[in-house]
Amino acid sequence: MFIKPFKIKSNILVTGSEKKRLRQRVMAQFNRPDEETGTAPSPLGELFGNRAKVCTVKLITYHEEPVTVYTSDKRPIFFELNGKLLPTVYTLWSCPDLVPAFTTHATVLPKLANGADLMIPGVVKKGTNLASWGRHQKDDVVAVNLTSNRAAVGVGLLAHSSSDLYMCGGHGVCVRMMHVFGDKLWGMEPSVCQQVPLHGSVVSVPTESDFPPLGSEKPKPVEETVKQVTKSLENAALTAQEEESTSDGDASDDEPQEPEEAEKPPNPDDLIKGALLNALKLHGKKIALPLLTSTFYPQYVQPEIPDGIEMKKSSYKKVGTFFKQMAEEGLLEIKEEKKGIEKVTALNLEHPAVLSFYPYKAQKASADGQDAPGGPASSGASNPLLLTQMTAMYAVSERTAKLFGCFNVALGKTLDQTQVRNYMRDYVGRNKLINPLTKLVTLDDTLREICGCPPAPEEPEVLVGLADLTETVLNCMTSTFEMRSQKGAVTKGGKRAIIHLTTATRSGNKKVTLISNLADYGINVNDFAKAVKLGAAASTTMTEVPGSKGEQLMVQGNHIKFVFELLTTTYQVPKACITGLEFAKEQKKKKKK
């Protein structure tokens, strides 16, 4: 219903009495007892709190259907359809048990975001009897969530009753989707857009790796994915290692086993020294010497230090003490020109610690531009004005927390597929796990635990391709989705979408600027019109074009150059996707006195 842009007719702030009636209506429809005065409000009651600004927004959908939307602090919380209130995904994230939920696979969400309904074959149920469909009637309000995340990603109406769904034979429509994460209603106010929070998995669904190929007796383990060509190269080494491990195992049977030591947190001294080694490895030949230590540290060392690590938490306590310790170890040379003023005069790039160190690229949270799950969409990860692309994301689970903890990526942090590949490449290279003969990855204890392989004493060596290992890690993470800005040109129907800028003359020989196809790039036309009003100090109106599906934005005066700069800078639209710059008003040349 809200996949395509809609028109807002009015946006009115409701009075206190109207807010109270709306709250009572919501509580009555969803069978929630209304809190009495003095008791702690529920999450649903907080949406209608005394300080919350509740507004009634009347809009017309793309298919000319009138809909009333209720917002709380600019965020849509309910919308009314045929006299029935339906919650938005924002409301269901704060009140997960407000309506019953139907579960589907994560791969179905992009289809729902394109306007498809939830079909019966896509529903994941716990059982095959009538009770697995619940006790619901036709047109009941239901939510849709994913097997990997309990948080709702859509809201709709049941197409059939529970008994009819059971008798459909596994065919037909189950839920008629009315609102989906990522549609225009979700992005109604870009400043309060929120990504899907992680509420835990609903049911564990087996993946392709859990099923053996046809004709096989048992599932193929990870260690058997080694290529046939490498077997002849490794047989001798494996047999020798097995003999040594068996002899050591027989000798160690009589000895008492020591208890395993608890995993210690990383030492700040090692991390700060590693940051210096990383800076020397990456930038050592480019650093112009001599250089003040007060400039060298913040410019080269500090950007490589992981988040949360500070000099005062280490044994060095001060930057000067750190540099003196590194000079004693022979990594660099410092010279004191005046009292309290020291300079780095030389760098020892041939030091054994530098030669044996594997460099990595530091990725700060601020550089990634990603918020915590469920936080607002930040402009670093994606432009909140241009949320047009649904991106598959993977959250760090308990099984992979130890692996990504080496990069200071906390449990529950979401990463895209490219970031996971980069982290895996850095981890393998930093720990020198690449076999020089086969170019395959030797699994250490952390990777063995993720892949489900036995510990090292039981099996001497396991080799896996990096691509297969990355795919296994992705399958162990929690899958979710985020709305992000699409980089590059937007394609529509196989062709690149173009924003047309033209000028025209209206009555009284007045010039106007016409802007077309803004909706193809997911641009909120109302916010864009406000930006043009403030920047160009000109009035704007929306006009319909005969023979065209979309609308044009008309701006009084010739402001093509300003609109072009606004689209390319703030909205990050490629310059090649905008036409009409030749119609810009030429600036008058100042006369020389």
Side-chain angles (χ1 to χ4, degrees):
M1 173 172 280
F2 303 102
I3 302 299
K4 294 185 178 181
F6 49 77
K7 302 177 188 177
I8 296 179
K9 292 298 183 181
S10 63
N11 189 349
I12 303 174
L13 181 67
V14 302
T15 61
S17 58
E18 292 174 343
K19 184 197 299 185
K20 184 177 180 180
R21 285 195 296 268
L22 177 61
R23 173 176 173 168
Q24 293 175 351
R25 181 183 174 189
V26 169
M27 297 297 181
Q29 178 174 329
F30 296 101
N31 297 324
R32 294 297 176 105
D34 200 356
E35 297 87 358
E36 297 180 358
T37 306
T39 60
S42 64
L44 186 60
E46 290 179 355
L47 299 176
F48 305 96
N50 295 330
R51 296 185 178 181
K53 295 182 180 179
V54 180
C55 297
T56 302
V57 181
K58 295 193 179 290
L59 51 86
I60 303 296
T61 63
Y62 184 82
H63 298 288
E64 302 296 332
E65 299 177 5
V67 179
T68 302
V69 179
Y70 299 98
T71 63
S72 177
D73 294 332
K74 298 184 180 181
R75 181 170 291 169
I77 54 175
F78 290 95
F79 61 98
E80 187 173 357
L81 188 64
N82 297 328
K84 181 179 293 187
L85 290 175
L86 282 78
T88 63
V89 290
Y90 294 113
T91 304
L92 293 178
W93 292 342
S94 58
C95 309
D97 301 328
L98 187 62
V99 294
F102 281 69
T103 305
T104 185
H105 301 278
T107 54
V108 179
L109 179 56
K111 306 295 182 183
L112 301 180
N114 288 333
D117 292 328
L118 179 60
M119 310 301 287
I120 295 179
V123 178
V124 179
K125 309 185 305 299
K126 295 182 180 180
T128 57
N129 54 1
L130 178 60
S132 63
W133 290 102
R135 297 180 180 180
H136 310 300
Q137 301 299 324
K138 183 180 178 181
D139 292 334
D140 280 356
V141 181
V142 295
V144 176
N145 56 20
L146 306 179
T147 55
S148 58
N149 192 3
R150 194 179 299 273
V153 295
V155 180
L157 301 176
L158 270 183
H160 307 281
S161 62
S162 297
S163 58
D164 291 340
L165 290 173
Y166 176 72
M167 299 298 295
C168 281
H171 301 284
V173 179
C174 178
V175 180
R176 291 183 284 113
M177 301 304 300
M178 298 297 166
H179 164 49
V180 187
F181 163 72
D183 61 7
K184 303 302 179 184
L185 182 61
W186 171 84
M188 184 176 178
E189 180 58 41
S191 61
V192 295
C193 284
Q194 182 181 349
Q195 304 293 356
V196 181
L198 297 178
H199 289 171
S201 60
V202 179
V203 60
S204 59
V205 178
T207 59
E208 295 180 358
S209 59
D210 297 330
F211 294 95
L214 294 176
S216 63
E217 298 179 358
K218 58 181 181 180
K220 192 175 183 180
V222 180
E223 57 268 21
E224 292 184 11
T225 59
V226 185
K227 297 180 180 179
Q228 297 293 334
V229 183
T230 64
K231 288 185 178 180
S232 58
L233 298 175
E234 300 296 329
N235 281 338
L238 289 175
T239 52
Q241 292 179 1
E242 287 176 357
E243 292 177 358
E244 293 178 2
S245 63
T246 52
S247 61
D248 294 339
D250 296 335
S252 61
D253 287 338
D254 300 331
E255 299 178 359
Q257 295 183 355
E258 297 181 357
E260 296 183 358
E261 296 182 357
E263 185 179 354
K264 298 181 179 180
N267 189 1
D269 295 357
D270 297 337
L271 294 177
I272 296 175
K273 183 179 178 181
L276 175 63
L277 295 175
N278 194 54
L280 296 180
K281 196 79 171 182
L282 295 177
H283 316 291
K285 297 181 180 180
K286 304 176 184 178
I287 300 176
L289 298 177
L291 189 64
L292 290 172
T293 55
S294 58
T295 305
F296 184 92
Y297 180 79
Q299 187 171 354
Y300 295 102
V301 181
Q302 196 169 11
E304 309 296 334
I305 299 177
D307 290 337
I309 304 300
E310 300 177 2
M311 181 65 72
K312 61 182 181 182
K313 295 181 180 179
S314 65
S315 62
Y316 306 115
K317 300 299 181 181
K318 296 182 180 180
V319 176
T321 308
F322 167 71
F323 276 109
K324 289 180 181 179
Q325 181 67 28
M326 296 299 104
E328 293 178 1
E329 296 183 10
L331 290 173
L332 46 83
E333 295 180 6
I334 58 175
K335 181 181 179 181
E336 186 176 4
E337 290 191 350
K338 297 179 182 179
K339 186 177 181 181
I341 300 177
E342 296 178 342
K343 286 187 177 181
V344 179
T345 57
L347 302 175
N348 187 6
L349 301 181
E350 301 298 327
H351 194 279
V354 179
L355 296 176
S356 61
F357 185 80
Y358 184 84
Y360 61 91
K361 293 183 179 180
Q363 298 185 2
K364 301 283 186 179
S366 59
D368 294 341
Q370 295 183 0
D371 294 307
S378 63
S379 58
S382 58
N383 188 352
L385 304 174
L386 262 173
L387 300 173
T388 60
Q389 188 179 26
M390 183 172 288
T391 306
M393 303 294 291
Y394 300 88
V396 179
S397 60
E398 294 182 357
R399 190 171 177 180
T400 58
K402 187 177 180 181
L403 170 65
F404 292 100
C406 303
F407 304 97
N408 293 312
V409 180
L411 179 67
K413 180 71 176 293
T414 55
L415 305 170
D416 57 27
Q417 199 167 4
T418 303
Q419 289 176 310
V420 175
R421 286 199 184 102
N422 292 338
Y423 280 133
M424 291 300 301
R425 195 178 294 111
D426 283 351
Y427 181 84
V428 169
R430 185 186 300 184
N431 294 279
K432 300 179 180 180
L433 301 178
I434 297 292
N435 191 301
L437 296 177
T438 61
K439 304 299 181 183
L440 299 177
V441 180
T442 303
L443 300 185
D444 59 0
D445 293 339
T446 302
L447 297 178
R448 283 172 180 265
E449 184 179 352
I450 294 176
C451 297
C453 297
E458 299 182 9
E459 192 156 347
E461 188 176 19
V462 179
L463 299 176
V464 182
L466 182 58
D468 297 335
L469 180 61
T470 305
E471 190 67 25
T472 303
V473 173
L474 289 173
N475 291 334
C476 295
M477 301 176 72
T478 304
S479 62
T480 182
F481 290 88
E482 284 187 5
M483 292 298 295
R484 290 189 169 188
S485 59
Q486 180 170 338
K487 297 181 180 180
V490 177
T491 57
K492 188 176 183 181
K495 298 181 180 180
R496 186 173 63 179
I498 301 295
I499 295 179
H500 298 287
L501 306 180
T502 57
T503 57
T505 304
R506 292 294 183 260
S507 59
N509 198 21
K510 293 182 180 180
K511 290 285 186 180
V512 294
T513 302
L514 301 176
I515 310 166
S516 306
N517 300 334
L518 290 175
D520 291 345
Y521 279 84
I523 296 176
N524 191 317
V525 182
N526 295 327
D527 291 339
F528 184 82
K530 292 178 183 178
V532 174
K533 282 182 181 180
L534 295 175
S539 61
T540 59
T541 54
M542 295 296 298
T543 59
E544 295 184 359
V545 181
S548 178
K549 293 183 179 180
E551 293 182 331
Q552 280 185 337
L553 178 64
M554 185 176 69
V555 185
Q556 295 293 332
N558 189 339
H559 300 287
I560 285 185
K561 189 172 182 180
F562 172 79
V563 172
F564 181 83
E565 293 294 332
L566 182 64
L567 289 171
T568 54
T569 56
T570 304
Y571 289 86
Q572 302 175 359
V573 178
K575 295 181 179 180
C577 301
I578 305 174
T579 62
L581 187 60
E582 63 273 10
F583 299 110
K585 186 177 181 180
E586 296 182 0
Q587 294 181 352
K588 296 181 180 180
K589 296 182 179 180
K590 295 182 179 180
K591 295 182 180 180
K592 295 182 179 180
K593 295 182 180 180

